[in-house]
Amino acid sequence: MLGNILLGMVVPILLAVWILRRNLKILVIYYPLGVAIASCINNVGFNYFWNILPNTRNQSFAALPMDLGIYPIAGCLMMYVIIVKDAKPWVAILVAALSLTLLEWLAKMMGHVIYFNGWNIFWTFLSYLLPFVLAYGCSKLLRYTK
């Protein structure tokens, strides 16, 4: 569990605060959105499609560091690249989704993630792609991007 806390929450938050220190508005807007989406997807996923280590009575507890860290921070960094660095949105979305998919694939290869009920790495990619598309769509609604 300590690894989940350090690698899933502490390191990503420290990295994001350092990168986004002059753009805290991005954190304030997109971090809560990322936490909400990550929590919803993981709560459904733990009941039907996957499990992660360490095993706990409530699997959402094991994913809480990631729900509060790497998942929303990845969305914030993606939005930073789109808004501040003027990256092409679909390229940034794909890079963010592929990056998280690669990290999860590595965790799966090391035995920290277990898929069942037909879940596979392609569905994992889609489960990361959808929240990033939603975050970008939210930015369009809020008129933060072109």
Side-chain angles (χ1 to χ4, degrees), residues 50-144:
W50 64 79
N51 199 347
I52 66 170
L53 296 178
N55 283 322
T56 58
R57 215 176 280 172
N58 180 352
Q59 280 299 302
S60 295
F61 181 69
L64 188 60
M66 280 76 79
D67 289 346
L68 296 175
I70 196 165
Y71 301 141
I73 295 301
C76 290
L77 292 175
M78 179 201 72
M79 292 310 302
Y80 170 79
V81 168
I82 292 170
I83 295 168
V84 177
K85 299 298 183 182
D86 222 17
K88 295 194 184 303
W90 293 106
V91 172
I93 290 168
L94 286 173
V95 167
L98 285 169
S99 298
L100 287 181
T101 303
L102 176 64
L103 286 174
E104 184 162 321
W105 179 77
L106 290 171
K108 182 172 176 12
M109 291 297 109
M110 294 186 316
H112 293 284
V113 177
I114 300 152
Y115 295 157
F116 49 91
N117 283 342
W119 194 264
N120 57 43
I121 203 70
F122 174 74
W123 292 115
T124 296
F125 171 74
L126 290 180
S127 76
Y128 289 130
L129 184 68
L130 176 65
F132 292 135
V133 170
L134 289 174
Y136 177 68
C138 186
S139 77
K140 297 295 280 180
L141 287 174
L142 296 172
R143 299 177 199 257
Y144 285 127

Side-chain angles (χ1 to χ4, degrees), residues 15-81:
L15 178 67
V17 168
W18 182 69
I19 291 172
L20 299 172
R21 66 188 177 276
R22 291 188 180 99
N23 297 285
L24 289 177
K25 189 175 183 180
I26 292 172
L27 271 176
V28 169
I29 293 170
Y30 295 103
Y31 182 83
L33 177 66
V35 170
I37 293 172
S39 297
C40 289
I41 289 174
N42 274 335
N43 280 326
V44 171
F46 286 126
N47 286 308
Y48 299 105
F49 301 113
W50 64 79
N51 199 347
I52 66 170
L53 296 178
N55 283 322
T56 58
R57 215 176 280 172
N58 180 352
Q59 280 299 302
S60 295
F61 181 69
L64 188 60
M66 280 76 79
D67 289 346
L68 296 175
I70 196 165
Y71 301 141
I73 295 301
C76 290
L77 292 175
M78 179 201 72
M79 292 310 302
Y80 170 79
V81 168

